[in-house]
Amino acid sequence: MPSLSKAAAHIVQSDIRTMSVECEKVQGINLAQGICDTEVPLPVRQHAIQAIEGGQNSYTRLDGIATLRAAIARKMRDYNSVICDPEREVVVTAGSTGAFYSACQALLDPGDEVLVFEPYYGYHVNTLAALRIQPAYMTLRSPEWTFTAADLERAITARTRAIIVNSPANPSGKVFGREELQWIDDAATRHDLFVFTDEIYEYFLFDGSKHISPASLPGMADRTITISGFSKTFSITGWRLGYAVCAPRWAAAIGYFHDLAYICAPSPFQHAVTAGLNELKEDFYSELAREYAYKRDLLCSTLEEVGLTPSIPKGAYYVLADSSRLPGRNGKEKAMSLLGTTGVAAVPGGAFFHDKSGDNLLRFCFAKTNADLEAACERLQKLKAVAAVR
Ligand code: PLP
């Protein structure tokens, strides 16, 4: 009888999807999964329809349409302080996930080691596992999710080929500061490593935090693969539109691998996000951050009130909260107990750690409509009546 591949043993349904299924069963409110329930901006919606009606439905150049690559290069210059050539240094991809997968295939080999900051985004670690690349962990210190240059140096080995930076980060909400990015860049230069950056939450910033792209630091553009996309900013997670920006020799190879799996990013939606980038002004992005700051404050104050102390995120749209007061021997049991008592689904913290350090944490997502979030917060109040576990 044939068997599954060796990698398949490590790739199973994520806790995030499992909790979504459990939530559905009890018709609960799903704060487990990062689905943006917020409105798609008008020009993006309108141009998607126009593109489909206007016949933009075939394959595009493998690295995307010229107008979108030009719009991305402009945005990279104006927002990220990264200068890139839209002809040779931008690859439009099927979501940032498609960019990350293709970049790993193009630039890493089985057996290489890649450093991941922990708590991590599960897709990063599982993508590495799928490609037989070894993750190594740089565990951040809660509640501020800090590290030092010495911690970083200790975590790098002779097999390390790359460092993954996700800022603002899922699930911690950490926004990497300039000094931290400088340590990463110094280490990458010293050990000749790639830096893969996932900047998908670059506009979700709170309390005056600033987004700094690692590729904007002097001398870093050549070894940095900047990855981002439109899923979150334009609330189009199902459209699958993202990109990678990097030096031409990396971009060409990433484009070839992306072509193998996807041929190109969805054609009409490339036109739609081009319009979004060209037509939406600064106030759209500042309003987005303001709207999400409201959601964060609402959820965090409720979590605090009911004894699930949150680690207040500086960016992205997730919050890790201390679940020690809930019954259960591990994160999964605690998440199920929360769902049973309140009808609110969260993700067991173990999904973001390689060991048991996440067992007393739950991740809540606040990318919800205000009505859903308010209803979830009301349900969470039920915990007040439930005695804490000693
Ligand atoms: N990167 C991070 C850190 C995420 O949290 C997510 C989605 O939750 C993604 C990437 C997926 O992005 P995309 O829809 O562009 O593939």
Side-chain angles (χ1 to χ4, degrees):
M1 197 59 169
S3 61
L4 293 170
S5 72
K6 291 196 184 73
H10 306 284
I11 312 292
V12 291
Q13 176 165 271
S14 74
D15 284 345
I16 301 176
R17 285 199 189 273
T18 308
M19 285 313 297
S20 297
V21 171
E22 293 298 330
C23 182
E24 182 93 32
K25 281 188 200 157
V26 299
Q27 308 225 312
I29 301 180
N30 190 357
L31 299 192
Q33 204 162 15
I35 313 162
C36 295
D37 289 350
T38 42
E39 214 178 55
V40 179
L42 189 63
V44 177
R45 268 184 283 149
Q46 280 177 335
H47 283 268
I49 295 163
Q50 277 171 26
I52 292 169
E53 296 289 354
Q56 306 289 355
N57 300 304
S58 339
Y59 300 139
T60 66
R61 205 171 101 164
L62 69 86
D63 52 358
I65 60 173
T67 47
L68 176 53
R69 280 182 284 105
I72 291 169
R74 198 165 48 247
K75 174 257 173 200
M76 289 302 298
R77 183 195 63 201
D78 297 345
Y79 184 66
N80 305 82
S81 305
V82 173
I83 304 294
C84 61
D85 172 3
E87 263 305 298
R88 300 185 309 141
E89 296 183 320
V90 178
V91 186
V92 176
T93 55
S96 67
T97 305
F100 182 67
Y101 205 87
S102 308
C104 289
Q105 286 183 304
L107 307 177
L108 302 169
D109 285 309
D112 285 349
E113 201 173 88
V114 170
L115 196 61
V116 179
F117 287 91
E118 181 179 60
Y120 50 72
Y121 170 56
Y123 272 63
H124 289 156
V125 168
N126 285 345
T127 301
L128 298 177
L131 297 171
R132 275 82 155 171
I133 296 159
Q134 196 61 39
Y137 302 98
M138 168 68 249
T139 307
L140 298 166
R141 290 185 195 88
S142 69
E144 295 292 325
W145 311 109
T146 51
F147 69 102
T148 64
D151 293 335
L152 189 60
E153 192 57 35
R154 266 194 302 277
I156 293 171
T157 72
R159 288 196 305 147
T160 311
R161 290 280 318 281
I163 304 176
I164 299 177
V165 181
N166 172 213
S167 181
N170 172 9
S172 66
K174 176 182 176 66
V175 176
F176 285 69
R178 190 169 291 279
E179 187 183 29
E180 293 173 321
L181 292 175
Q182 193 59 59
W183 295 336
I184 293 169
D185 290 355
D186 291 346
T189 307
R190 207 165 34 249
H191 297 276
D192 197 16
L193 311 176
F194 282 115
V195 177
F196 288 75
T197 76
D198 178 337
E199 305 182 25
I200 191 87
Y201 297 105
E202 60 194 328
Y203 291 107
F204 296 79
L205 298 163
F206 316 123
D207 307 332
S209 301
K210 292 270 177 290
H211 176 64
I212 305 171
S213 286
S216 70
L217 272 69
M220 282 311 292
D222 275 356
R223 61 177 70 252
T224 303
I225 316 299
T226 302
I227 292 172
S228 192
F230 305 98
S231 284
K232 316 287 176 173
T233 312
F234 294 162
S235 302
I236 49 169
T237 52
W239 287 17
R240 316 308 306 129
L241 250 303
Y243 56 88
V245 168
C246 52
R249 60 190 183 287
W250 319 134
I254 292 170
Y256 301 145
F257 275 96
H258 186 266
D259 181 23
L260 279 185
Y262 308 98
I263 307 228
C264 64
S267 171
F269 299 150
Q270 291 191 45
H271 291 269
V273 299
T274 306
L277 283 177
N278 290 341
E279 292 178 28
L280 295 165
K281 301 290 172 235
E282 165 55 28
D283 59 337
F284 166 78
Y285 299 96
S286 48
E287 177 55 26
L288 185 75
R290 207 195 51 75
E291 203 185 306
Y292 275 80
Y294 168 81
K295 295 177 198 288
R296 176 199 68 161
D297 292 346
L298 176 65
L299 180 59
C300 287
S301 59
T302 306
L303 291 170
E304 188 80 60
E305 251 179 80
V306 302
L308 301 174
T309 308
S311 158
I312 312 285
K314 294 280 192 295
Y317 52 52
Y318 307 93
V319 50
L320 284 172
D322 180 356
S323 60
S324 324
R325 82 179 289 279
L326 297 174
R329 284 164 302 176
N330 53 43
K332 273 188 190 157
E333 288 186 8
K334 284 170 188 283
M336 286 308 291
S337 140
L338 181 76
L339 183 63
T341 315
T342 65
V344 173
V347 185
F352 313 103
F353 290 85
H354 77 287
D355 57 13
K356 293 191 177 306
S357 337
D359 271 1
N360 270 325
L361 293 173
L362 287 174
R363 188 198 76 173
F364 295 83
C365 168
F366 50 90
K368 299 282 145 186
T369 59
N370 287 347
D372 280 353
L373 201 59
E374 278 154 18
C377 288
E378 208 173 299
R379 286 178 178 212
L380 286 171
Q381 296 289 347
K382 288 190 195 149
L383 283 180
K384 280 187 177 162
V386 180
V389 192
R390 307 242 167 253

